Each structure stands twice: as C-alpha cells, then as structure tokens.
Amino acid sequence: MLHKKTLVASFLLFAAIFSPPVVRDWSNSSVQAVQLRDGKTYFLHPPTLIDATTTSNRTHAWGATYYFTIQTASDAGEPLQSVTIAQNEGSDTVAFQLGETLAYAQDAGSDRTPLISKTTLNPETRTLSIVFDPPVPAGKTVVISLYPSRNPRYEGVYLFGVTAFPPGSQPHGQFLGYGRLHFYSSSRW
C-alpha cells in the first residue's frame, strides 16, 4: 500500500514539474513567451552576459561609467523585460546615480537604438532593477551604462551579479553570471 502511494505521489510530482508549457502571445511583442500552467514565464534560450567594463579602474575616481553588455538569443522565445544588477562582493558599497542610467540596443553591425528604461534600487540587497518599456526584442545586444557617484574607496575585485527577466506577471529570472570589475588604489598611478 505504501509503495503505491509513493508511486502515485512520484508520478504527480513528475507531471507537475514536466507539464508542457502554455505558449502565450504578448500583445506588444512579435515574439511569443513561454508560460507554464502556474503562470511563470521563462526564456527558451536565456541571454548571455558578454562583458562588464569600466572607463576608470582607479579608486575614488569621479566620472566613471560601468558598462554591462548582454546578448539576447535570436531564438530566446520572449523579449527581455528587465535586468537586475546586484553588488555581491567588494569592500565598499558602490552608490549609483539612478536617474543617469542609460541603455541601448543594437543588431549585429547596426546603429545603437536608445532604450526607455526605469532604474530603481533596493538598498537592503544592493540590487539595481532596470526595466525596459517596451521589452527588448530577442536577437539584440543590450548595453547598460551605470554611473557611480564615485568609484569605491577600497581597491580589489567587485562582483556584480546580473539576472535577466522575461515579461509576465511571474517572470522566472535567469542568472547570467558576474560582471567583474577590479579597482586599483589611486596611489599606484
């Protein structure tokens, strides 16, 4: 009897996890999003964090820009609605000028197209949220420009975790990796 109950419970768990997705057409996009029966949306093929760079790697420097480059797959299945960037490591907390955040998209070999975005900060988790309106279509390269108030006071490696989200009321975030920026003491220059 116990064996039959375990078998039935295993089958139900398997069916819940591996149930086929419901494909939903988002009215503002030419791409379809994958939505499971529980309402969560997923990328078919997640974006890739290509690079993270800074225009100045000196500690205490003013006027630096941090660039995060993300490539969306042409067969992603859904557009890119938002990105979060969280400082996960570093001896100093980097403060950003949220209203100065810029983003643009481009196709391979084409001009840059400015993106309308809104940036917010969760100070408890040190996480920036950049929301694109409208979402960025699949197949684009997205570059996010962040402007720190100043570079960190302390030298070392600073890691910024980057997560991408598709549209939907319950989007599943796909962790893309860490953007790694290394800052050096101004006295070394």
Side-chain angles (χ1 to χ4, degrees), residues 47 60 64 68-69 74 92 97 107 114 143-145 153 164 169:
H60 290 282
F68 292 84
T69 305
S74 59
D92 192 11
Q97 300 173 38
D107 293 317
V143 178
I144 300 169
S145 305
R153 292 174 288 182
S169 59

Side-chain angles (χ1 to χ4, degrees), residues 92-165:
D92 192 11
T93 299
V94 179
F96 292 98
Q97 300 173 38
L98 302 182
E100 301 298 316
T101 301
L102 296 175
Y104 62 86
Q106 65 186 36
D107 293 317
S110 71
D111 293 331
R112 298 175 178 179
T113 304
L115 298 172
I116 298 172
S117 63
K118 179 181 178 187
T119 305
T120 58
L121 171 70
N122 179 333
E124 293 176 12
T125 61
R126 299 191 294 187
T127 302
L128 295 172
S129 294
I130 300 102
V131 179
F132 303 110
D133 184 20
V136 180
K140 300 279 188 180
T141 298
V142 177
V143 178
I144 300 169
S145 305
L146 300 177
Y147 297 91
S149 298
R150 63 163 175 72
N151 277 350
R153 292 174 288 182
Y154 309 110
E155 67 180 2
V157 173
Y158 287 72
L159 296 179
F160 297 87
V162 180
T163 304
F165 296 86

